[in-house]
Amino acid sequence: MLLILQVLTITVVAIAMALALAHALELPGKLRLGKEQYFAVQPIYYPGFTIGGAAEPAGLVLSAVLLFLTPPRTLAFWLIAAAFIGLLAMQAIYWILTHPVNNFWLKDVKLRGMSADFFSLGTSHVVADSGTLDWTYLRDRWEFSHVARAAFGLISLVLLAMAVAL
């Protein structure tokens, strides 16, 4: 049963990391886009990445369970604990930096059901005042937050794989 949990945790964390990494790998090309092109491209991520985004909280829960089941004060325990902290950092970056900008990109998109509920969470005054901001500020905030998220996701994935390989 532990092996199934380990494989499932690594798989789910790999999915979460892959989505952030996909955004990070698009960075050079997207920085070359003008405002109209960028605004036309940005909404294509929804709902696909939103559906895959469920892997992030699932990865946190699974890694917490794995941590709980791992003998304390072992190398595997500390590797899983560090991976868990990395996954927490991914979430913090998303909710503090990325999510408010997502709300801006989607302000004119009519969302329904769970998507509407999810993107209504944590509406930020920073984005509400975005009419006074240069669009490149929001673009850079969104794009570079995904680079940071990809880094934390990759580090967490490697740490989990090391812990399981022990």
Side-chain angles (χ1 to χ4, degrees):
M1 194 65 149
L2 181 62
L3 178 61
I4 292 170
L5 176 63
Q6 291 170 328
V7 171
L8 183 60
T9 302
I10 288 173
T11 302
V12 169
V13 170
I15 292 167
M17 182 277 304
L19 297 176
L21 183 60
H23 286 308
L25 293 172
E26 294 172 334
L27 177 68
K30 286 181 74 183
L31 290 180
R32 292 192 307 255
L33 297 176
K35 181 178 181 177
E36 292 76 26
Q37 294 169 313
Y38 189 87
F39 277 56
V41 167
Q42 201 59 26
I44 68 170
Y45 297 111
Y46 316 98
F49 276 71
T50 306
I51 294 165
E56 289 191 37
L60 264 175
V61 169
L62 289 169
S63 62
V65 171
L66 189 58
L67 183 62
F68 178 76
L69 296 175
T70 303
R73 293 182 293 279
T74 62
L75 180 56
F77 177 88
W78 293 114
L79 291 170
I80 295 167
F84 181 79
I85 292 168
L87 295 171
L88 281 175
M90 273 185 85
Q91 282 291 294
I93 292 167
Y94 177 81
W95 288 104
I96 294 167
L97 297 174
T98 313
H99 189 76
V101 180
N102 278 339
N103 286 333
F104 174 75
W105 299 143
L106 294 170
K107 71 180 193 277
D108 296 327
V109 176
K110 297 294 180 203
L111 299 172
R112 288 179 272 187
M114 289 175 51
S115 293
D117 294 339
F118 178 77
F119 285 106
S120 69
L121 294 172
T123 307
S124 170
H125 72 281
V126 172
V127 177
D129 297 336
S130 60
T132 61
L133 295 174
D134 179 19
W135 75 275
T136 59
Y137 167 79
L138 294 174
R139 177 203 63 196
D140 292 350
R141 177 175 160 170
W142 194 89
E143 298 292 341
F144 287 103
S145 72
H146 281 297
V147 171
R149 289 169 34 73
F152 279 112
L154 181 59
I155 290 166
S156 295
L157 179 62
V158 169
L159 291 170
L160 285 169
M162 290 171 55
V164 168
L166 291 176

